[in-house]
Amino acid sequence: MGISADIGRYGFGTGPIGNLFTAVDDETARAAVDAAYEAGIRLFDTAPHYGLGLAERRLGAALAGRPRDSYTLSTKVGRLLVPSSGGGRDPEGFDVPADLRRVRDYSRDGVRRSLEESLGRLGLDRVDIVLIHDPDDHWEQAVSEAYPALAELRDQGVVGAIGAGMNQWEMLARFVRETDMDVVMLAGRHTLLDRSGTRGLLPLCAERGVRVLAAGVFNSGLLATHDASGTYDYAPAPGPLLARARRIARVCERHGVTLPQAALAFPLRHPAVASVVAGARSAAEVARNAALAAAPVPEDLWTDLAAEGLVG
């Protein structure tokens, strides 16, 4: 069935409304989803991993009054949520109680159970895209059990499109070569600062007709503001990358463009990319991203960045 052609150039990522790093309340989370929908965003991406199910519950509640055929919803499999008596807070970066814990499971039964539980949290009877989530250390089970289980669900019309989502491009390329996936989500490896996936994965996707959802386009923060500060892939930004980002920002200034504006626009220049998925935790962040996405980026900017060896 494949991925819909009308998902739009930008999608909404729900990690932040799963209380990634910092908690937001239900009202703020709902306002963020509402703002995204009202801004014309029609692709919503979530996962059990995000806030131990909180993001799925919040997204489902916010979309409950919307026509089901008016949006595309993506979730993921590979982490089952099971009860935990450990107490405390989630150790994986989400500000939520650790009353559940994640268990990696890429088996056929695990995939079916994960999807069923996601549908329960979302309050839906179907999702449009299902991605195998972060199978970095689980290739064999992911390709021999998770993928066939999803392919069967696709063949039955239970889901519309299947794929994998990762922070690395090498295993995604292997999936594209060895399976019949419709879509991959590539996080952080097709950006202004890291084009390893641009070179290593995207040409293969274009050749095989696999659509790419580009995520992590701000590399966790370094490209999110024009002054190029903050983290790179969730750790302090190395000096050389910080300097490179600031050089890119200076070139952007000559064209009346900000660094985050260029970061959002860059991934869509490749024909394999179907959409850029950006997370937001509030209506204000959604409005900011929408304004950045709507602002034109002159072609001369990319020419100048290439001439200075900053974007190839």
Side-chain angles (χ1 to χ4, degrees):
M1 295 169 66
I3 183 172
S4 172
D6 60 357
I7 61 170
R9 290 165 56 84
Y10 294 95
F12 180 88
T14 60
I17 67 167
N19 289 2
L20 180 61
F21 303 133
T22 306
V24 299
D25 59 33
D26 289 343
E27 183 179 350
T28 300
R30 180 169 192 129
V33 178
D34 287 346
Y37 192 92
E38 288 158 13
I41 290 173
R42 292 296 181 267
L43 171 64
F44 295 87
D45 176 72
T46 190
H49 173 54
Y50 303 156
L52 294 169
L54 178 63
E56 287 185 319
R57 291 193 299 273
R58 284 176 162 174
L59 179 62
L63 291 175
R66 311 287 186 181
R68 182 60 188 89
D69 291 338
S70 71
Y71 60 86
T72 298
L73 195 146
S74 165
T75 194
K76 306 181 183 74
V77 295
R79 290 174 174 90
L80 288 173
L81 303 181
V82 302
S84 173
S85 57
R89 310 298 288 177
D90 176 34
E92 296 200 28
F94 293 88
D95 188 2
V96 295
D99 52 1
L100 298 169
R101 61 185 176 89
R102 303 164 181 86
V103 175
R104 296 288 186 135
D105 191 335
Y106 297 89
S107 70
R108 172 188 170 86
D109 288 345
V111 163
R112 286 182 168 270
R113 176 180 160 191
S114 180
L115 181 56
E116 182 179 349
E117 292 177 355
S118 287
L119 290 172
R121 287 187 290 267
L122 289 160
L124 296 173
D125 60 2
R126 65 180 172 88
V127 295
D128 304 291
I129 302 170
V130 182
L131 303 173
I132 303 170
H133 200 187
D134 296 336
D136 302 73
D137 300 321
H138 304 269
W139 164 257
E140 290 301 333
Q141 190 176 49
V143 76
S144 66
E145 296 191 50
Y147 166 72
L150 291 181
E152 184 177 312
L153 292 172
R154 178 182 60 187
D155 291 345
Q156 294 169 349
V158 176
V159 300
I162 62 172
M166 305 183 72
N167 293 289
Q168 57 146 299
W169 66 267
E170 294 91 342
M171 190 177 287
L172 289 179
R174 192 172 178 187
F175 273 119
V176 172
R177 284 193 297 267
E178 299 183 26
T179 73
D180 182 27
M181 287 186 167
D182 305 294
V183 57
V184 295
M185 175 172 280
L186 178 64
R189 307 283 80 87
H190 174 50
T191 75
L192 285 174
L193 290 176
D194 187 333
R195 297 185 300 284
S196 55
T198 314
R199 296 182 289 266
L201 174 66
L202 268 60
L204 180 62
C205 289
E207 177 187 328
R208 296 292 298 269
V210 174
R211 304 312 306 276
V212 177
L213 305 178
V217 299
F218 298 131
N219 283 117
S220 89
L222 185 52
L223 298 174
T225 58
H226 188 66
D227 61 1
S229 59
T231 58
Y232 177 82
D233 287 358
Y234 306 103
L241 275 178
L242 194 60
R244 186 179 184 88
R246 289 174 176 169
R247 286 182 62 200
I248 293 172
R250 300 293 83 78
V251 178
C252 287
E253 286 174 3
R254 300 204 301 261
H255 296 272
V257 173
T258 66
L259 185 60
Q261 182 186 347
L264 273 176
F266 170 75
L268 289 162
R269 291 178 56 74
H270 197 287
V273 175
S275 188
V276 169
V277 177
R281 68 179 61 248
S282 68
E285 288 190 7
V286 171
R288 168 192 177 267
N289 288 344
L292 290 171
V297 176
E299 188 65 26
D300 287 350
L301 168 63
W302 311 115
T303 303
D304 286 358
L305 287 172
E308 297 196 23
L310 294 170
V311 170

